[in-house]
Amino acid sequence: MTTERPFIFYSLPKSRTTQQIIGGRKIEKAWENVCSFITNCTDTNPELPTKISLTAYSAFQGDPNPEIADKIIQETKRLFDNGDTNPVSWAYPSGIPDKQTKTEWNIEQRDIQKAIDYLVKGQPWPRFTFGPVELLVIYNFKLIDPITKIELPNQEEKSSLMIWLSRNCVCSADLYFPFEEANDNFNKTVQNLTPFLPFKLEEKYFRLGKLNKSKTQYSFTKLKS
């Protein structure tokens, strides 16, 4: 799907894929802030993510106390079945699998609170190069003004929020605002949304998106206030 109308887009640059969730040193606080945003500013709710996956990592080469990571994997398997275990990477060009593994689980929507409770209970999680456990939660949604409770009109694209809950909770947002310029209505909408955002809004990452003349891809330009 392509959006015919110009729109204002918020997204981090490729050189910086995530940003800190407010309260992200505590999983329960980070999750509370995410839920507040989803509840007040979107057309979905926290119990209905698009995707939920849980990953547990074995210790990386040189990580101390690798047996702790192995114990965490076994405990996670006890709660969420055996999952799917694969090497984290393969050596190039030999194709030999790395010794480090990751075990992944696809979590059903009905079990999201079970997964959250597991991560909260396990705090503070030990420090490893990867993990040791990480919950990915993805939401796709349309934006709602939290003051008027009305869906922003003319949203031809859905916005998204990807959340990683672990030792340090981070997120990546792609937000589509159905405005053709940074006018008063846009500024008011951003002002209403900002107190509910689970991350610090960095206005320098707003861009105006338009289809090119051949309507094959978008071009993005810096937003003019």
Side-chain angles (χ1 to χ4, degrees), residues 81-94:
D81 73 46
N82 286 331
D84 185 17
T85 301
N86 291 289
V88 171
S89 61
W90 284 261
Y92 179 83
S94 66

Side-chain angles (χ1 to χ4, degrees), residues 15-190:
S15 60
R16 182 187 165 201
T17 55
T18 64
Q19 58 190 125
Q20 183 79 38
I21 297 178
I22 297 170
R25 298 296 180 181
K26 286 288 187 180
I27 292 170
E28 61 271 28
K29 182 60 178 176
W31 181 241
E32 178 184 331
N33 289 330
V34 167
C35 289
S36 176
F37 169 70
I38 296 297
T39 300
N40 290 286
C41 303
T42 80
D43 65 348
T44 186
N45 72 67
E47 296 179 354
L48 299 174
T50 306
K51 180 181 179 181
I52 319 165
S53 64
L54 182 67
T55 304
Y57 294 88
S58 66
F60 188 67
Q61 183 178 0
D63 281 342
N65 304 312
E67 69 280 359
I68 295 176
D70 293 339
K71 183 178 179 181
I72 290 170
I73 291 171
Q74 293 308 312
E75 174 64 14
T76 313
K77 285 183 176 181
R78 186 183 68 80
L79 292 173
F80 297 100
D81 73 46
N82 286 331
D84 185 17
T85 301
N86 291 289
V88 171
S89 61
W90 284 261
Y92 179 83
S94 66
I96 298 173
D98 190 83
K99 291 182 179 180
Q100 189 191 23
T101 64
K102 59 180 179 180
T103 304
E104 299 174 288
W105 296 263
N106 288 320
I107 306 297
E108 298 290 337
Q109 287 179 336
R110 65 176 180 270
D111 290 328
I112 186 171
Q113 192 58 52
K114 178 182 177 182
I116 296 292
D117 291 344
Y118 174 54
L119 265 70
V120 170
K121 183 179 179 181
Q123 296 178 111
W125 290 98
R127 183 184 295 274
F128 286 93
T129 301
F130 297 94
V133 290
E134 179 179 83
L135 185 68
L136 169 65
V137 186
I138 300 175
Y139 291 95
N140 294 322
F141 50 83
K142 291 188 175 181
L143 290 169
I144 289 175
D145 187 302
I147 305 303
T148 65
K149 305 301 180 184
I150 297 174
E151 181 180 301
L152 303 186
N154 302 319
Q155 293 184 72
E156 298 178 9
E157 290 275 5
K158 285 195 172 185
S159 297
S160 67
L161 179 65
M162 301 178 67
I163 305 126
W164 291 268
L165 301 178
S166 187
R167 290 187 69 257
N168 185 29
C169 302
V170 297
C171 66
S172 179
D174 287 342
L175 303 181
Y176 290 86
F177 294 85
F179 297 91
E180 298 186 12
E181 60 180 344
N183 55 24
D184 289 344
N185 287 336
F186 167 73
N187 292 329
K188 183 63 174 179
T189 297
V190 172

Side-chain angles (χ1 to χ4, degrees), residues 200-213:
K200 181 182 178 181
L201 186 72
E202 299 182 48
E203 294 185 0
K204 62 184 178 181
Y205 296 131
F206 279 122
R207 293 289 185 271
L208 181 64
K210 295 181 179 180
L211 277 177
N212 60 14
K213 291 182 179 180

